Amino acid sequence: MVGKSAGSADPKRHLWILGLIAPACALLPSQLVLHTGLEVFWWLGPIVVLVIIPLLDVLVGDDGTNPRDEDYETLSNDRFYRWCTYLFLPFQLIGLTLAGYLWAGSELSVLDKIGLATTLGLVSGIGINAAHELGHRVEHLERWLAKVALAQSGYGHFFVEHNRGHHARVATPEDPASARLGESLWTFLPRSVVGGFRSAITLERERLQRAGRGWWSPRNHILQAWSMTVALFGALMLVFGWEILPYLLLQAALGAGLLETVNYIEHYGLLRERRPNGRYRRCTPRDSWNSDRLVTNIFLFHLQRHSDHHANPGRRYQTLRSSDEAPQLPAGYAAMVVLAVVPPVWRRVMDKRVLAHYDGDITRANLSPGRRRRLPAVAQGPVAA
């Protein structure tokens, strides 16, 4: 249901600082292990993201409020919300530096170091979400900070592909980051990773050519972002030694994997309508899955109000709204990530929801060309693999 208008500009205002718990997960493991002796805390990231947050989502439930139209300008211009995203970066970078020190030492077992890398990987993936919020802004500083936030994951091309590729093609078969009905996460991941990379290169090359510049121009957004990763990883290895490189690469891969898993969830099976001239209609809230679970939304700066974000990409996170028009996920992103890694469970939960969203008409869903050719043999239920 549509969230009721908030009685004040933002009743959640002081909760947003809790979003910094996510990058703090990179700082806490060493202290928790030191004071408890429990080595399981090297795996704090998965414990928080995949266990504690889904449980809190169930206990706390939905938000149920939307910002009022008359508060939009006030909320947009309130710099408190910007600092909540700005402060993510120092936590993120200090945590990675501390992890480098621990990876280089001999006190931790290999398993403990992998656990710490896994925790850092989830922080890195959530850092991409901070970069997502910053990268949509027109302010020069925030766009540069977005590239800094992407340095840990090495996924700097996301800055280009998300804004100029994904938002233009979302919920269409042409978008590598929009999952198709019946497509498993494990099939989607290589298609999205490779397709997004190629699209980003093409988009940035074309932009530079229009400006009369070559690929190696210092104005190349992708090279700027990748250079930050090289500088960051190079500095850490210079200080702590090359032996930390496998853990740096592992956490970066996990961060990118978390981002792409969220991509998989956000538009699974959804397809924008076409106009009579064959072009796709403008993106509406119907073209993205939405969730109003309060806890995950606080941790992810309202990323789950994704339908409003795609319909109105210029809105800052504190002004995003939920609506009846958007298809609703049965749980928050944290729980949906767990479901997505098990394709039969995911499809049992989600395929019927996609079909219900389109009133049982599977031809209106986003299908791969091969599956579309087999439509007469497909029943109204989980799509045949």
Side-chain angles (χ1 to χ4, degrees), residues 48-69:
V48 170
V49 174
L50 303 178
V51 179
I52 294 177
I53 291 180
L55 288 176
L56 288 175
D57 264 341
V58 173
L59 293 173
V60 176
D62 289 347
D63 182 344
T65 63
N66 277 327
R68 301 177 302 190
D69 292 341

Side-chain angles (χ1 to χ4, degrees), residues 244-312:
I244 72 169
L245 180 60
Y247 302 106
L248 286 173
L249 296 178
L250 174 59
Q251 65 83 29
L254 290 172
L258 179 60
L259 162 74
E260 295 293 357
T261 302
V262 170
N263 277 340
Y264 175 78
I265 294 167
E266 288 171 337
H267 305 284
Y268 177 77
L270 301 181
L271 181 66
R272 278 154 57 191
E273 295 181 359
R274 287 186 183 270
R275 298 180 185 276
N277 62 7
R279 294 184 178 181
Y280 291 104
R281 295 187 183 276
R282 183 181 182 277
C283 189
T284 73
R286 289 181 53 82
D287 303 316
S288 309
W289 289 99
N290 199 77
S291 173
D292 207 28
R293 298 287 183 174
L294 176 62
V295 175
T296 302
N297 264 331
I298 291 296
F299 274 84
L300 296 181
F301 300 114
H302 263 164
L303 181 66
Q304 295 181 135
R305 291 186 170 183
H306 206 63
S307 297
D308 194 18
H309 167 68
H310 270 281
N312 302 283

Side-chain angles (χ1 to χ4, degrees), residues 4-296:
K4 62 182 180 181
S5 295
S8 61
D10 182 11
K12 302 191 295 289
R13 176 184 173 85
H14 298 297
L15 294 179
W16 293 111
I17 201 71
L18 296 177
L20 298 178
I21 291 176
C25 285
L27 300 172
L28 295 176
S30 60
Q31 295 304 306
L32 291 172
V33 173
L34 176 65
H35 289 90
T36 67
L38 299 175
E39 295 180 348
V40 69
F41 284 117
W42 296 118
W43 300 82
L44 182 64
I47 293 170
V48 170
V49 174
L50 303 178
V51 179
I52 294 177
I53 291 180
L55 288 176
L56 288 175
D57 264 341
V58 173
L59 293 173
V60 176
D62 289 347
D63 182 344
T65 63
N66 277 327
R68 301 177 302 190
D69 292 341
E70 58 265 34
D71 292 327
Y72 178 80
E73 291 298 327
T74 300
L75 287 172
S76 296
N77 295 325
D78 189 336
R79 300 192 71 83
F80 167 80
Y81 298 96
R82 304 186 193 190
W83 278 103
C84 289
T85 53
Y86 295 171
L87 289 173
F88 195 104
L89 275 66
F91 276 89
Q92 182 182 4
L93 296 176
I94 293 170
L96 184 61
T97 302
L98 176 60
Y101 169 79
L102 293 169
W103 288 327
S106 58
E107 293 82 4
L108 274 63
S109 69
V110 171
L111 182 61
D112 290 341
K113 291 180 179 181
I114 292 174
L116 181 58
T118 302
T119 291
L120 267 291
L122 294 181
V123 171
S124 177
I126 298 172
I128 298 176
N129 178 54
H132 166 260
E133 171 64 24
L134 293 165
H136 271 289
R137 312 282 69 88
V138 297
E139 288 82 354
H140 189 68
L141 171 63
E142 290 182 279
R143 292 172 65 81
W144 272 101
L145 290 177
K147 297 170 189 174
V148 174
L150 289 167
Q152 181 176 344
S153 63
Y155 226 57
H157 61 281
F158 173 84
F159 179 86
V160 171
E161 165 55 18
H162 178 82
N163 293 323
R164 291 193 273 132
H166 176 59
H167 269 267
R169 300 182 298 240
V170 65
T172 72
E174 290 76 26
D175 179 33
S178 293
R180 298 160 179 169
L181 181 62
E183 181 178 33
S184 77
L185 172 65
W186 308 111
T187 302
F188 169 81
L189 283 175
R191 183 173 71 83
S192 183
V193 170
V194 175
F197 177 82
R198 288 175 174 170
S199 175
I201 297 295
T202 299
L203 288 168
E204 187 64 1
R205 180 179 288 117
E206 291 174 350
R207 184 188 72 84
L208 291 169
Q209 287 176 346
R210 289 193 299 269
R213 298 187 176 95
W215 175 256
W216 298 105
S217 166
R219 300 290 183 89
N220 185 319
H221 292 307
I222 295 177
L223 294 185
Q224 289 171 356
W226 285 348
S227 295
M228 292 182 185
T229 297
V230 171
L232 176 61
F233 285 16
L236 290 171
M237 287 190 289
L238 184 64
V239 174
F240 300 118
W242 66 268
E243 61 268 25
I244 72 169
L245 180 60
Y247 302 106
L248 286 173
L249 296 178
L250 174 59
Q251 65 83 29
L254 290 172
L258 179 60
L259 162 74
E260 295 293 357
T261 302
V262 170
N263 277 340
Y264 175 78
I265 294 167
E266 288 171 337
H267 305 284
Y268 177 77
L270 301 181
L271 181 66
R272 278 154 57 191
E273 295 181 359
R274 287 186 183 270
R275 298 180 185 276
N277 62 7
R279 294 184 178 181
Y280 291 104
R281 295 187 183 276
R282 183 181 182 277
C283 189
T284 73
R286 289 181 53 82
D287 303 316
S288 309
W289 289 99
N290 199 77
S291 173
D292 207 28
R293 298 287 183 174
L294 176 62
V295 175
T296 302

Side-chain angles (χ1 to χ4, degrees), residues 296-360:
T296 302
N297 264 331
I298 291 296
F299 274 84
L300 296 181
F301 300 114
H302 263 164
L303 181 66
Q304 295 181 135
R305 291 186 170 183
H306 206 63
S307 297
D308 194 18
H309 167 68
H310 270 281
N312 302 283
R315 288 184 177 176
R316 291 184 178 270
Y317 70 90
Q318 65 270 25
T319 67
L320 293 174
R321 304 170 64 88
S322 285
S323 71
D324 280 339
E325 187 181 354
Q328 300 296 318
L329 291 169
Y333 279 9
M336 299 308 294
V337 165
V338 178
L339 296 183
V341 301
V342 187
V345 176
W346 170 265
R347 293 177 60 186
R348 182 172 294 276
V349 170
M350 288 302 298
D351 284 12
K352 61 185 179 183
R353 286 177 165 81
V354 176
L355 289 169
H357 181 58
Y358 293 120
D359 301 318

